[in-house]
Amino acid sequence: IENAKVGIFVDTSEVLIESSKIQNMSEVGLVGLRSKVLLRNTLMNNCLLRLLQATNGGEYEIVHCTLANYEFYFNRQDEAGSVFINQQGANTMIIRLFNNIFWGNLKDEIVFSGESLDLSAANNIFRTQIYKEILNTNQNLINLTNQRTDSL
């Protein structure tokens, strides 16, 4: 899916996205509202506002994916590439992140905000300053720069 305003919008339903590319959106690659989203072996890149926005509960499982937002032809000031926002009063948001890359130009390319977030993350590579202590477990790698990754 390329060159749209929003690549995929999921509202209170269930979707499996597998072996796909979602790129070059003028706003967001994937928006999930109170949904169950299973994202597997997918590349999401270069979306003007953000790659992924999950909001107000739901379940988000992301496995073997690359979410990378670079500013080649646009300017993101402080919009993280992947954002999980659970507003007050929303049901618990379940977030499962396994063997992914969350990367881009900004110092924080992933954000978790709100209450009732149930997060599990293992074997990922994250670009983050805010969450580096929280995510530096379960063989996650944080802020890799100029390092060989032959052993990964």
Side-chain angles (χ1 to χ4, degrees), residues 51-106:
L51 300 164
L52 170 68
Q53 178 173 324
T55 307
N56 292 341
E59 185 176 340
Y60 302 88
E61 182 174 301
I62 303 172
V63 181
H64 301 297
C65 294
T66 298
L67 289 83
N69 222 10
Y70 294 98
E71 301 171 16
F72 296 119
Y73 303 111
F74 57 90
N75 186 15
R76 288 183 305 138
Q77 296 298 318
D78 57 1
E79 293 286 340
S82 301
V83 179
F84 298 89
I85 303 168
N86 211 28
Q87 296 178 348
Q88 185 175 4
N91 292 334
T92 299
M93 180 182 290
I94 300 168
I95 306 163
R96 304 286 180 253
L97 310 173
F98 303 109
N99 199 32
N100 302 292
I101 300 171
F102 294 88
W103 207 259
N105 292 54
L106 302 180

Side-chain angles (χ1 to χ4, degrees), residues 38-53:
L38 290 86
L39 192 63
R40 293 198 172 98
N41 193 33
T42 293
L43 170 65
M44 296 179 71
N45 67 307
N46 300 334
C47 298
L48 186 57
L49 292 180
R50 56 184 56 116
L51 300 164
L52 170 68
Q53 178 173 324

Side-chain angles (χ1 to χ4, degrees), residues 14 25-26 76 81-82 113 115 121 125 130:
E14 185 174 330
M25 301 302 150
S26 64
R76 288 183 305 138
S82 301
S113 177
E115 54 186 41
I125 298 174
I130 297 172

